[in-house]
Every structure is written in C-alpha cells, then in structure tokens.
Amino acid sequence: MLNLAKHANMALMFLLELGVLASAGYWGFTLSPSWAIKLLAGLGAPALFIAAWALFGAGGGANATFPLTGPARAALEIVWFGGGAAALYASGLTTSAAAFAMLFVVNAVLRIIWKQV
C-alpha cells in the first residue's frame, strides 16, 4: 500500500509540473487586452519555464543539462512551483493558487519523508 502511495506522489509531482506550465500560459493570456501581448506572454512564459526546467531540473536532475542537488534543487523547486502559484494568483485565481501551493508543499514533504528526492 505504501508503494502505491509513493507512486501516486510521484504522479502528483508530474501533474504539478504540468500545472506550472498551464498556469504560466493562462497568466500570459490574461495579461493584456492586446492579442500580440497575449500571444507573446501566453506562449513565452511556459517556454521560459520549460527552458529552466530542462536546464536545471529535468528528471530529478538526472536528465538536466546542469543538474542541481541539495539546497540548490530545493530553491529551484520553490521558485518553479511558486512561480506556478504566483501565476495563478496574478491571474486572479487566488483559491486555485493557494490549493496549488498547498499541494506542492504536501508533495515536497512526502518526497522528503519517503526519500524520493
């Protein structure tokens, strides 16, 4: 049963990663009434998040170009997932932002307890 919970926690991490990209895109498309800015921010924000994750965090660091470990990895995750929550908040979705942040904290704590980091 614990093994199933550990797998579910890792699946939650993946869904949270996708949630960051969706949040950044949503924020970009709500940023301005101008369609040019909406397109630039709505597609550019997720692209920047993808680039940062590919460079420093992909595959838990195993697939990253410049893998981070320890406190640097923790800082990356806080900035990455905090950015997703901040994007939701900036879009006016305060309840969703709070729920997203809480899910990340629970996920991170369980990954630490279960040594999934």
Side-chain angles (χ1 to χ4, degrees):
M1 187 64 146
L2 181 60
N3 199 32
L4 179 62
K6 288 180 179 182
H7 287 297
N9 195 48
M10 292 310 292
L12 174 60
M13 170 119 178
F14 177 69
L15 293 175
L16 287 169
E17 290 172 10
L18 294 178
V20 168
L21 300 177
S23 299
Y26 182 78
W27 166 81
F29 282 108
T30 62
L31 188 59
S32 169
S34 166
W35 269 101
I37 293 175
K38 283 184 182 199
L39 283 174
L40 182 64
L43 299 175
L48 289 174
F49 272 92
I50 289 169
W53 197 250
L55 286 172
F56 303 109
N63 299 330
T65 305
F66 306 103
L68 298 178
T69 58
R73 173 64 187 210
L76 171 68
E77 287 190 15
I78 291 168
V79 169
W80 169 267
F81 293 105
L88 288 172
Y89 183 81
S91 301
L93 302 175
T94 54
T95 304
S96 297
F100 189 89
M102 287 176 28
L103 278 173
F104 165 67
V105 169
V106 169
N107 176 263
V109 168
L110 289 176
R111 284 187 295 122
I112 291 168
I113 291 170
W114 291 334
K115 298 181 185 359
Q116 294 178 307
V117 288

